[in-house]
Amino acid sequence: MIHLKRFTLIVILLVFSRHPFAMAQNPYFSQYQRSIQGVIANMLPNGAVVASPSLNQPNYYYDWVRDTSLTMKTMIRLNADQNINNLTKKAISRRLETWVDWELARQETPKLTDLGEPRFYVDGRSNREPWGRPQNDGPALRALAAMELAQQWINIGRLDDVQLKLYKAELPARTMIKRDLEYIAHHWTESSFDLWEEERGMHFYTMVAQKVALIKGAKIARYFNDLDAAHFYETQAASIEQYLTAFIDHSKGTIKYAINKEGGLPHKLSDLDVAVLLIAIETFDGKFYVPLNEVIKTVNQLAQSFQKIYPINQIQKMKSGTNLGIAMGRYPDDRYSGFDFSNGNPWFLSTLALAEFACDLQKTGLASLAKNKLMNTAEAQFNRVLFHLNQDGSMSEQFRRDNGYEQGARDLTWSYTSYITAYRACF
Ligand code: NOJ
Ligand code: NOJ
């Protein structure tokens, strides 16, 4: 009896010591854990990650390179985190290995638009339905994820594995990162579809991802004594940087999400898109790789416009007095309802992106921005998400603009990922 009690106590202590915030009554922590499990549930044994288990209305049962890359970058970070319990870590680290093999195979799978191919069936075949392709953010986001894994492997002495699978100084490239970097460096001047798979053109989101991938790519190239490549990647990154100045709207002080569009959606009228915010946080590593003042202004305008557009934003406080932040969507004129084109809604990942941005800004310590104001903004965004969340913590793609109920693909991997990254940035 006494032994049992002591044992229980030790177990409790062990559990809590791994989760410092569990005791600190952080109201956002349990959904953080729930989100990690949400991601793990969507990782298949063969290394594929389904965007969502939803098979119809909409069918998201594919592996999208973008969703998977953003998610795996987050899993790679969790894998190196002391506070993650062993069971979860085991599940993750196993999947990291299979994911690498999955991506290497996908790079080789025959497909319509080379590495710009946006998505695959979960058995690995490429998808050939009519679709917005290529989407050239994919290789950049994948390289950014894989380079973090390469660093982890280097740290633990797995240098041979890195050179076997991730980066080797050779052409033609046969390793994952090197292939992606070569693709980016040779194709960034070409137009492609945006992250929303709707418009072909030159996209701020895609180009920032490409720029940062090449900057970091040059470092890994140099590490492996691939000096010509390092120089080539740097030169291309500098050219992208130069090109990116064309996205600044000087009259408004904001960023246009796209330029040189080829056709485009007739109903997408404004230059505002949350993609600008997303790529700011997705590339943040203690410093920003985007023109910060213009991004801040863009984000403010987006928030103001979503505030007006979505009726649920009229509720700004709970009865308890808790502040509810702004439910954010993709862009003001969005009509994608999650399965048809009846009406756009707020998205979890956009709403959480604002929280993450506020916390990233807080870290950069810009004197002009009050710290506690940023933290209040972030917490209000989390409150908004928890307010509309299903009871069981499952997160779909969107929640309805009129009543806040979840809508669109259920258990969207990217929604969970966005909660995890926002939480880690803030707490
Ligand atoms: C499905 C999704 O890719 C979504 O982003 C898009 O709005 C619709 N297809 C229409 O292209
Ligand atoms: C539609 C989104 O617009 C796109 O960005 C995403 O990759 C797919 N859904 C899959 O989640």
Side-chain angles (χ1 to χ4, degrees):
M1 185 68 180
I2 287 175
H3 274 82
L4 194 68
K5 265 191 187 156
R6 192 177 296 157
F7 177 73
T8 318
L9 186 68
I10 289 171
V11 168
I12 289 172
L13 283 175
L14 272 176
V15 168
F16 282 124
S17 65
R18 291 185 174 282
H19 304 293
F21 294 116
M23 295 186 85
Q25 284 189 327
N26 179 319
Y28 313 111
F29 179 70
S30 68
Q31 184 59 27
Y32 172 61
Q33 288 183 303
R34 172 69 180 81
S35 298
I36 295 172
Q37 297 313 320
V39 168
I40 290 176
N42 288 349
M43 302 188 348
L44 305 184
N46 67 349
V49 182
V50 292
S52 149
S54 175
L55 287 165
N56 51 54
Q57 295 263 62
N59 180 2
Y60 273 29
Y61 204 74
Y62 298 90
D63 179 295
W64 259 271
V65 178
R66 168 181 40 262
D67 301 44
T68 296
S69 300
L70 293 168
T71 298
M72 294 314 284
K73 186 175 75 185
T74 309
M75 293 301 111
I76 290 161
R77 291 182 184 178
L78 292 181
N79 191 46
D81 183 338
Q82 303 290 319
N83 295 316
I84 301 298
N85 70 54
N86 284 336
L87 209 65
T88 304
K89 202 169 267 181
K90 227 177 184 167
I92 292 173
S93 61
R94 225 174 353 132
R95 291 287 191 265
L96 292 185
E97 305 293 322
T98 40
W99 170 70
V100 170
D101 295 337
W102 163 265
E103 294 298 347
L104 279 167
R106 295 302 63 74
Q107 289 180 325
E108 284 166 14
T109 299
K111 45 199 169 301
L112 293 175
T113 49
D114 201 356
L115 300 190
E117 194 57 32
R119 59 177 190 167
F120 295 85
Y121 295 105
V122 301
D123 65 6
R125 282 173 304 128
S126 75
N127 180 263
R128 285 167 186 263
E129 290 165 57
W131 204 250
R133 63 166 64 83
Q135 294 174 20
N136 284 345
D137 58 326
L141 299 175
R142 180 167 55 200
L144 285 169
M147 286 190 277
E148 295 203 13
L149 186 61
Q151 189 56 57
Q152 270 183 29
W153 284 7
I154 290 170
N155 292 347
I156 57 171
R158 290 179 64 181
L159 213 60
D160 289 349
D161 289 340
V162 174
Q163 288 187 282
L164 189 64
K165 296 184 174 181
L166 297 179
Y167 194 98
K168 185 162 185 179
E170 66 178 2
L171 286 176
R174 281 179 302 157
T175 47
M176 182 172 162
I177 298 169
K178 179 81 178 170
R179 271 193 192 130
D180 282 337
L181 294 175
E182 288 295 315
Y183 180 84
I184 300 164
H186 285 102
H187 295 276
W188 69 264
T189 57
E190 297 162 21
S191 68
S192 76
F193 277 81
D194 63 322
L195 78 167
W196 310 132
E197 325 189 276
E198 294 179 326
E199 293 185 308
R200 193 172 183 133
M202 300 303 281
H203 296 278
F204 184 80
Y205 180 94
T206 303
M207 295 193 77
V208 171
Q210 291 170 324
K211 178 187 80 169
V212 181
L214 290 175
I215 291 173
K216 301 197 169 182
K219 292 199 177 128
I220 192 167
R222 199 153 273 130
Y223 180 87
F224 286 107
N225 216 23
D226 199 359
L227 299 181
D228 289 347
H231 179 70
F232 177 50
Y233 300 154
E234 268 160 7
T235 315
Q236 297 309 308
S239 302
I240 297 177
E241 176 81 47
Q242 180 58 35
Y243 194 115
L244 279 166
T245 56
F247 289 82
I248 296 179
D249 184 332
H250 289 285
S251 63
K252 298 189 183 126
T254 53
I255 309 255
K256 300 182 208 166
Y257 73 89
I259 58 174
N260 300 334
K261 284 196 262 177
E262 296 160 27
L265 287 179
H267 62 267
K268 192 166 179 180
L269 298 174
S270 98
D271 284 323
L272 293 171
D273 191 305
V274 85
V276 169
L277 163 61
L278 292 175
I279 203 58
I281 58 169
E282 287 166 10
T283 52
F284 179 77
D285 63 2
K287 85 173 228 250
F288 285 103
Y289 292 85
V290 292
L292 197 51
N293 289 331
E294 286 79 4
V295 170
I296 292 176
K297 201 147 183 208
T298 308
V299 171
N300 280 331
Q301 295 205 354
L302 275 164
Q304 274 170 31
S305 110
F306 291 130
Q307 173 64 48
K308 282 199 213 108
I309 293 170
Y310 301 141
I312 47 165
N313 278 329
Q314 276 152 32
I315 312 172
Q316 289 169 18
K317 248 186 212 310
M318 285 165 55
K319 288 207 183 84
S320 59
T322 304
N323 286 327
L324 299 176
I326 299 173
M328 307 262 288
R330 299 195 296 185
Y331 53 89
D333 306 306
D334 196 1
R335 295 194 185 163
Y336 179 55
S337 70
F339 47 86
D340 64 19
F341 274 89
S342 52
N343 219 350
N345 291 299
W347 284 43
F348 283 117
L349 66 92
S350 306
T351 305
L352 288 161
L354 180 54
E356 186 165 336
F357 187 53
C359 294
D360 289 348
L361 279 173
Q362 197 191 30
K363 282 188 202 121
T364 62
L366 292 175
S368 57
L369 298 159
K371 280 207 161 185
N372 53 355
K373 208 172 154 227
L374 287 171
M375 206 55 214
N376 290 342
T377 300
E379 286 185 0
Q381 292 308 109
F382 279 100
N383 296 338
R384 169 65 69 184
V385 163
L386 295 185
F387 186 61
H388 297 294
L389 208 58
N390 284 341
Q391 288 265 311
D392 64 358
S394 58
M395 298 177 88
S396 56
E397 180 182 77
Q398 319 184 3
F399 46 105
R400 283 177 60 133
R401 59 159 77 197
D402 53 352
N403 63 18
Y405 279 99
E406 293 201 14
Q407 179 159 306
R410 73 179 168 92
D411 291 297
L412 188 82
T413 307
W414 193 358
S415 292
Y416 291 123
T417 297
S418 72
Y419 194 101
I420 300 169
T421 58
Y423 184 89
R424 294 172 65 77
C426 293
F427 307 110

